[in-house]
Amino acid sequence: MRFAAVALLLVLGACSGGSSEPAGQATTPAPAAGAPTNPPPTGTPVPEALSDFRCEADGTGTYTATGALANDTKAPVTFQVTVNVGLPAATPQAAVTKQVPKVKAGGSTTFEIVKIPVAAEGGTCHVQVVTTK
């Protein structure tokens, strides 16, 4: 599963969806394709922190992503998870970013991201996980 997460991380690397929201469990949709974008998320990529990632559409085509994050460090960290549905692209795509704050050292948590935007041409789910300061 981690191999898939790493592969998805590489595909999403060009995608934007950064959030400047204060710590909390809020989600932020990124601008639609072609619209001005926020700078890419900053932080340290940690694809190995992600497990049990699922991204599925319901009967109406609305995507929801879930997964687990593990903090293997000796200090609390804040994770930033960005998900989009589309084809690999060199330009930023609409995405949703969720901050998962203060996961304790050696701890883990789960997350859910709802209403993930879908590119006009469709595609598959892509995920990026970074730790922020």
Side-chain angles (χ1 to χ4, degrees):
M1 185 62 156
R2 288 188 182 196
F3 174 77
V6 172
L8 291 173
L9 173 69
L10 294 174
V11 171
L12 188 63
C15 296
S16 180
S19 173
S20 58
E21 292 185 29
Q25 295 273 342
T27 59
T28 303
T37 60
N38 295 328
T42 58
T44 303
V46 287
E48 67 276 5
L50 179 65
S51 63
D52 300 324
F53 181 72
R54 294 185 61 103
C55 183
E56 299 174 321
D58 64 12
T60 66
T62 301
Y63 278 78
T64 298
T66 59
L69 299 166
N71 178 5
D72 293 335
T73 70
K74 296 181 181 182
V77 298
T78 294
F79 289 102
Q80 181 172 292
V81 181
T82 302
V83 180
N84 83 317
V85 177
L87 299 174
T91 58
Q93 299 177 355
V96 175
T97 296
K98 182 171 192 165
Q99 297 284 331
V100 182
K102 300 180 182 169
V103 178
K104 67 181 180 177
S108 64
T109 190
T110 59
F111 67 90
E112 179 179 49
I113 300 174
V114 297
K115 297 183 181 177
I116 300 166
V118 178
E121 65 277 2
T124 58
C125 288
H126 305 279
V127 62
Q128 178 186 44
V129 178
V130 299
T131 56
T132 61
K133 302 214 178 217

